[in-house]
Amino acid sequence: MRLTPIKSIGLTVTAFLATSPALCDKPEDLYFGEAVYYANQGLYFEALERLDAEFAQHHEVDEPNLDSLFPHIADAQFSLGDFELRYRMHHRAGRAISAVLEGAVDEMVRNDAAYRLARIQFQKGQMTDAMHSLERIDGRVPAAIEDDIEFLRANIHLAEGRPAAAIAPLENLQHSKQFAAFAAYNLGIAFLQNGSKQEAIAQLDRAGQVSASDPGELAIRDKSNLVLGTLFLEQGEFAEAATHLDRVRLDGPYSNQALLSSGWANVSAERLERAIVPWGILAEREVTDRATQEAMLSLPFAYGRLERHGRAAMLYGDALAAFDGEIDKLNASIESIREGRFLAALSREEIRKDKDWVIRLRSLPETPETYYMMELLASHDFQTGLQNYLDLADLRRKLHTWRTNFDAFEDMIAIRRGHYEPLLPDVDASFRELDSRIRLRREQHRMLVKRRDDLLTTPRPSLLATRDEQLVLARIEDLEAGLADAESPLADELLRRCQRLRGLLTWTLETEYHERLTAFDTNLRRLDEAMTVAQAQYDQYIRARQAATHSYVGYDRSVQRMRARTNDSIATLDRLIIRQGRLLEIVAIDELVARRSRLENYGDKARFALADSYDRATQAQARRENP
Amino acid sequence: MSRLDRALLSLLIAGGLVASASAEKLSGEQMRSLDGQVQEIKSDVLGIASELSNLEERLLYPSGTQIAIFVSVPADETFRLDAVQIHINGEPATHHIYSYKELEALQNGGVQRLYSGNVPTGGHELSVTMSGKQKGGTEFTETDTFTFEKGVEPLALGLTLAGPGLGKTGIQIGEW
């Protein structure tokens, strides 16, 4: 009887812990929002690039609390960790979240950070650290992650081989909206690992009957029934085993395994006719599946036990032909991989745009090898290696594009230099002249403003005299100075006339003072406006002048440095891609060789069984003819 | 039980246990060692990307003339945004046709940088045309025109696009 070890099918469910991409409220920070936009499309490199740049800018500002990222800083740090994890940068992932934990943040935010960090550590396989992070959770916890924390805690205990400690948190999750089905199954496994077989059976029975509609939950229900059926099979309770195995959906991911085990349960219970039904269904399924291949041998085996050797011989013959065909296909696949077609197919852009691209690979006529590698393609290590290979290829494409951009940048800089350098000396000379004039006017303007301000506090009418009046006043002063020492009646008369004239002028200045001050102020305000326009034009010129220089000066070294870094990275990438590609090919070929060996082995058995069945059929016929 | 039966059973029992052990060993050890180097190069390339973005911005969009236009969609919106077209001062600046994935990314809180360019300081006119389908399948096109002032600092404008409704315009603009 075939006993599938519990360990291989009884693995606890942990993949569910991976969260969906950052689905947050619309951020007020556009650049964080831009990172989320890319992440939501699965473009994690672009998302990380934007978010890294935004964080760098945030840390450079003088007053970070006024930056638009500030209100979202915790969310952004969580997202950074998520994006890094999704881009398979486990070494970096978690650093930003640790920063939240160390910062002075609200209790709920800190607890959320502790959970997220624990989840990252769990995915990295750092179970002790993950548990330590969970232990930091204290006080209020966001309601949305309460169940997630318990589920993670239970999974850490299970991964650490402490099933007894996992039981309590899993029991708490039995009515969880999000985790009920998964927790029910994991609780059964925890009981099983803890040696509590009866509790495990009761729990798996419950998990195998939960009402579910979600494909993930349905799969877990099937898995519970498969594990339970296998347990009963191990205990020799074949009828009970068949009951549970028959509960597994015929179109679910565990149906092949369940059909195979169901057949063996019936054979073991000596119900051979009933074993033929599941094996008959299974033998008609995809021939590359291991369970199907086994069923192709098991089915004639059952017919043989029923003394229907002719039918058995025919089915052994069919199996043999199928195995030979598959061996040919495997040989072609191994050759195809050696010729590099496998990696070329995996790198095809249009395939990878489909989220079910691994499944779609099967439909490609030029990649027969993928028929046999669905299990391998789905394994964690191979997936990581394959994703790394694809990521490296993407990075290389990016770097090659950038390298071309550097040439364009240098052309652009050279064109700008060629345009500006001949013009700038003349422009600068004109500017120097203009600059000295504008400085003079600015000084004059400043003095006039000062005079107006002085007049407002200390009125001095003479300062508002017109040019003619000033000339007249100066002439009067000259005349008065000339007449000062003269002693004659005429001189006295002239001096009186001068005083009358001065009086007349003073009268005019005094009586018109306010009117003149108002006019002076009005004119000065107009001048202010003109000066503002002149200053703006001056500033604009300065900016344009600086922009002209900045458009081509100071880039040479950074472009050279970046080109060197890019070239170094391309060289590293080339090396890594070759190594990663070869490794994938080796692993793929190893897998195919192992599958071929198995088929060859099956073929040998089928040949032997075929001959044996013919002998028995012949003997039976002889007995019938000569009783 | 016959010799064949026993052989068959032993074969079948062993079948599930021999899961290409050599391949797993290889993938487990060598792939993990390569993974560390892959992560390092990813970090390096991200650093180059960041420096390159900075260089591009300085070269192509100097701060004195830089303008960036972003697009977002309110979370509760059910309309299907098909395309957006932008004119600045009557001249076509950019247009974008949305894929389902992009629209979903916007509806889930993403903000798209629709346009980066240069305009001189002073007043300008921005015309935005969006077209799409309402929940009931009715096609619609809406155009709105706004004015904005470009100062000496880089300017970021955010467009919030919503399906047309009674008495409200579907295109809102804000400055960041």
Side-chain angles (χ1 to χ4, degrees), chain B residues 46-112:
Chain B
L46 272 170
I48 295 173
S50 174
E51 208 176 325
L52 183 64
S53 296
N54 194 284
L55 177 74
E56 268 177 352
E57 198 171 299
R58 280 191 296 142
L59 262 176
L60 305 178
Y61 313 113
S63 62
T65 55
Q66 187 187 116
I67 178 174
I69 299 173
F70 294 84
V71 166
S72 65
V73 171
D76 53 352
E77 275 298 332
T78 51
F79 82 110
R80 197 188 80 191
L81 178 64
D82 285 336
V84 174
Q85 204 170 3
I86 300 279
H87 284 74
I88 296 177
N89 300 325
E91 295 294 325
T94 188
H95 72 277
H96 189 82
I97 297 170
Y98 288 89
S99 67
Y100 177 72
K101 220 173 174 181
E102 288 170 332
L103 185 56
E104 209 176 40
L106 284 175
Q107 285 166 339
N108 287 330
V111 180
Q112 178 203 14

Side-chain angles (χ1 to χ4, degrees), chain A residues 458-477:
Chain A
T458 317
R460 288 177 63 194
S462 61
L463 291 179
L464 295 179
T466 62
R467 181 169 287 273
D468 288 347
E469 287 167 344
Q470 283 173 1
L471 287 172
V472 170
L473 200 58
R475 182 71 183 134
I476 290 170
E477 280 171 0

Side-chain angles (χ1 to χ4, degrees), chain A residues 1-3 5 22-31 33-34 36-37 40-41 45 48-50 52-53 87-92 264 290 294 297-298 301 305 316 353 376 381-382 384-385 388 391-392 395 399 402 405-406 409 412-413 416 540 543 551 554-555 558-559 561-562 565-566 569 572-573 576 579-580 583-584 586-587 590-591 594 598 601-602 605 608-609 612 616, chain B residues 1-20 22-24 26-53 55-60 62 64 66 68 70 72-75 96 98-99 101-113 120-121 152 156-158 160 176:
Chain A
M1 167 171 56
R2 183 180 192 279
L3 297 179
L23 301 177
C24 58
D25 294 337
K26 191 167 291 299
E28 286 164 24
D29 185 282
L30 291 173
Y31 306 97
E34 198 186 359
V36 172
Y37 176 70
N40 285 346
Q41 296 176 70
F45 180 90
L48 280 170
E49 185 204 327
R50 299 297 187 285
D52 276 350
Y87 195 49
R88 292 165 296 283
M89 295 181 72
H90 300 83
H91 292 176
R92 250 175 61 154
W264 281 114
R290 283 197 183 116
E294 290 185 23
L297 289 181
S298 307
F301 165 74
R305 292 278 304 276
Y316 277 127
K353 283 196 186 303
L376 180 67
D381 284 334
F382 192 85
T384 305
N388 280 345
D391 287 346
L392 291 172
L395 291 180
L399 286 170
W402 296 346
N405 288 353
F406 293 140
F409 288 157
M412 193 186 298
I413 291 164
R416 286 177 179 176
Q540 198 171 353
R543 278 196 302 275
S551 70
Y555 296 102
S558 58
V559 171
R561 193 182 60 242
M562 286 184 66
R565 276 183 74 186
T566 303
S569 293
T572 309
L573 275 168
L576 285 175
R579 283 179 61 193
Q580 187 73 66
L583 192 52
L584 288 171
I586 289 168
V587 171
D590 275 3
E591 171 72 7
R598 179 199 302 272
N601 202 357
Y602 283 2
K605 303 294 176 193
F608 182 78
D612 187 69
R616 287 169 190 254
Chain B
M1 188 178 277
S2 70
R3 193 158 57 88
L4 170 64
D5 293 349
R6 283 196 300 275
L8 184 56
L9 286 179
S10 67
L11 163 73
L12 294 178
I13 290 167
L17 302 173
V18 194
S20 55
S22 59
E24 280 171 19
L26 261 176
S27 64
E29 289 170 11
Q30 297 186 20
M31 287 199 187
R32 269 193 288 275
S33 88
L34 261 180
D35 188 50
Q37 296 174 52
V38 172
Q39 290 189 47
E40 271 177 40
I41 191 75
K42 281 180 176 176
S43 237
D44 288 348
V45 179
L46 272 170
I48 295 173
S50 174
E51 208 176 325
L52 183 64
S53 296
L55 177 74
E56 268 177 352
E57 198 171 299
R58 280 191 296 142
L59 262 176
L60 305 178
Q66 187 187 116
F70 294 84
S72 65
V73 171
H96 189 82
Y98 288 89
S99 67
K101 220 173 174 181
E102 288 170 332
L103 185 56
E104 209 176 40
L106 284 175
Q107 285 166 339
N108 287 330
V111 180
Q112 178 203 14
R113 185 192 292 253
T121 51
V152 295
L157 295 174
T160 307
W176 268 264

Side-chain angles (χ1 to χ4, degrees), chain A residues 483-522:
Chain A
L483 293 169
D485 298 331
E487 289 184 359
S488 70
L490 182 60
D492 290 346
E493 177 56 22
L494 287 173
L495 203 53
R496 273 195 301 277
R497 286 177 69 185
C498 283
Q499 284 166 345
R500 270 201 302 278
L501 282 174
R502 178 189 285 278
L504 184 63
L505 198 56
T506 305
W507 170 264
T508 305
L509 289 174
E510 290 285 346
T511 54
E512 292 180 5
Y513 176 73
H514 290 293
E515 194 184 327
R516 290 185 179 212
L517 184 59
T518 304
F520 174 45
D521 184 59
T522 306

Side-chain angles (χ1 to χ4, degrees), chain A residues 229 232 237-247 262 265-266 271:
Chain A
F232 281 120
E237 296 177 46
F238 307 117
E240 203 53 38
T243 304
H244 290 284
L245 291 167
D246 290 348
R247 280 187 193 160
S262 174
N266 285 309
R271 296 185 300 197

